[in-house]
Amino acid sequence: MKTKYLQFNDKDLTAAGELIRQGELVAFPTETVYGLGANAFNVNAVKNSYSAKGRPSDNPLIVHVYDKSQIYDIAREVSSDAEKIIDSLLPASLTIVLPKRDVIDDCITAGLDTVAIRMPLSVQARKFLRYANVPVTAPSANLSGRPSPTTWQRVAEDLDGRIAAVLCGQPCGVGIESTVLDLSRDEPLILRPGIVTPQEIQSVLHKKVTVVTDPKAIVNSPGVRYKHYAPRVPMALDVSGDADKLARYYDELTRKGYNPVLLVEHPEAFGGRNVRLIGRADEEVARSLFENLRVLETQFDYIIASFSSKTQFAESILNRLTRSAGHNII
Ligand code: AMP
Ligand code: MG
């Protein structure tokens, strides 16, 4: 199939909305990463989005909306906690999990009786969703397992010829996926950390919010099990920031014949070696993380990342880095 590259003007947005309603796949920008959109009310379209990405069918999708009223069309129950979050935090880089209505097919939720819903902060994303005028399922617009795309060019790299259209919007400002908050049970649970921190959620709910640290133990967020965000070359992760240790690890790899690169917070400490800045502030690290991995995998044959920030937001970056490195922590 020939993929169309569409712009943010009325004519192209109308075409994008029409494609979605007809059951075609359209990639679009959000503030977190680019999403691969399908009409949530069209089972074939949703199933095609799994196959275009090569995504396992037991990894549920997030349904995207542009208006808060749409949440009530797809969620069967909106608890008072959920109402508080909807009223005071949305739109945001935050996904909420609620009991689902029957209009949401099992293929979206991988058979769960809950549905994940997000109203993105990105004005471009909500504009596209408004033109689509149906709820839109959207996993990240990459081949399954690869680092998520934060520019339309990266979407093209993975999905050109496999989907109907790409909406060419801005690069993503946040750079990592939304926080996933399960509000379908008595106790609020963060299933995936993101830029919206437990503290922010707690300050709205006035109750303890538990962060699930071992998602493998949780049956109800299957997707967190899978290999994810991985570059094409081996990767190691250090969380101490110890420059001597990193230099030793690098030198050992070069002795073994590798051409490695250090992706670190303080590049000035590694004279003579291949080295790149991972970012000065957490926000910058997140924004450029997946793009860094996609660039470095083409230039080097081993990535050694180091990230030692200990803020609440840093937790979400560490979560992605750990999985990119396939849990190879040094
Ligand atoms: P992605 O589309 O790759 O950002 O992944 C979406 C993630 O949201 C999934 O991998 C799950 O971890 C989570 N998710 C989606 N739907 C549900 C649900 N009904 N219950 C719990 N977690 C969900
Ligand atoms: Mg993804």
Side-chain angles (χ1 to χ4, degrees):
M1 117 175 22
K2 179 144 174 56
T3 301
K4 291 192 178 93
Y5 288 85
L6 303 174
Q7 306 303 317
F8 269 83
N9 56 49
D10 184 59
K11 178 172 151 282
D12 280 13
L13 282 161
T14 303
E18 184 70 10
L19 285 169
I20 288 287
R21 285 189 303 281
Q22 286 167 352
E24 300 289 342
L25 305 181
V26 179
F28 65 100
T30 80
E31 77 282 8
T32 58
V33 304
Y34 269 71
L36 177 58
N39 180 351
F41 293 152
N42 182 326
V43 171
N44 266 333
V46 172
K47 287 186 173 160
N48 286 341
S49 72
Y50 280 96
S51 42
K53 274 182 62 97
R55 181 179 176 104
S57 62
D58 64 347
N59 188 357
L61 303 177
I62 296 170
V63 180
H64 291 66
V65 300
Y66 63 87
D67 191 274
K68 292 181 185 182
S69 67
Q70 292 174 289
I71 299 173
Y72 297 82
D73 299 338
I74 55 187
R76 176 165 41 83
E77 263 173 59
V78 178
S79 63
S80 63
D81 279 352
E83 257 172 20
K84 285 181 198 155
I85 295 289
I86 293 166
D87 292 344
S88 29
L89 286 184
L90 301 193
S93 307
L94 174 67
T95 295
I96 54 176
V97 174
L98 297 173
K100 79 170 187 75
R101 282 189 193 274
D102 290 343
V103 286
I104 296 297
D105 191 88
D106 279 350
C107 71
I108 294 177
T109 64
L112 299 170
D113 63 359
T114 55
V115 59
I117 307 171
R118 183 158 103 86
M119 182 175 175
L121 188 57
S122 155
V123 172
Q124 286 197 331
R126 277 184 282 137
K127 201 167 202 184
F128 159 69
L129 293 167
R130 189 176 291 276
Y131 275 85
N133 204 26
V134 287
V136 169
T137 54
S140 51
N142 52 280
L143 291 175
S144 195
R146 300 269 300 136
S148 306
T150 53
T151 64
W152 68 262
Q153 290 91 341
R154 294 303 187 185
V155 177
E157 197 174 280
D158 277 20
L159 298 178
D160 184 67
R162 302 170 74 93
I163 63 178
V166 178
L167 253 179
C168 304
Q170 292 157 347
C172 304
V174 174
I176 60 172
E177 298 80 354
S178 58
T179 306
V180 177
L181 173 66
D182 188 347
L183 291 171
S184 70
R185 46 183 76 223
D186 294 339
E187 182 198 21
L189 290 181
I190 292 182
L191 302 179
R192 176 173 74 185
I195 193 170
V196 178
T197 60
Q199 227 162 35
E200 269 176 272
I201 295 165
Q202 242 153 249
S203 71
V204 170
L205 295 182
H206 303 291
K207 61 161 84 163
K208 190 172 164 359
V209 177
T210 305
V211 182
V212 176
T213 46
D214 179 16
K216 282 194 197 103
I218 293 285
V219 285
N220 75 344
S221 200
V224 293
R225 279 199 308 264
Y226 290 104
K227 181 176 173 223
H228 225 133
Y229 321 123
R232 292 206 165 94
V233 300
M235 178 169 161
L237 174 65
D238 157 75
V239 295
S240 70
D242 178 343
D244 290 338
K245 182 176 102 181
L246 286 162
R248 277 199 306 277
Y249 197 85
Y250 178 103
D251 293 344
E252 184 59 30
L253 285 173
T254 55
R255 271 194 292 279
K256 288 181 181 159
Y258 282 103
N259 178 32
V261 63
L262 291 153
L263 181 63
V264 297
E265 293 157 309
H266 300 286
E268 53 286 352
F270 299 96
R273 300 178 178 89
N274 302 321
V275 63
R276 297 286 187 276
L277 176 67
I278 195 168
R280 292 275 175 221
D282 291 345
E283 287 70 19
E284 189 189 328
V285 175
R287 193 180 309 125
S288 45
L289 177 62
F290 292 133
E291 182 60 22
N292 274 334
L293 298 182
R294 282 181 179 251
V295 169
L296 295 180
E297 70 177 9
T298 65
Q299 300 172 349
F300 303 97
D301 56 17
Y302 207 115
I303 300 171
I304 310 163
S306 172
F307 183 63
S308 62
S309 171
K310 297 286 182 269
T311 63
Q312 278 203 343
F313 181 39
E315 284 297 313
S316 60
I317 298 169
L318 259 186
N319 168 282
R320 307 316 191 272
L321 275 167
T322 305
R323 302 184 67 196
S324 296
H327 298 269
N328 180 21
I329 315 272
I330 58 171

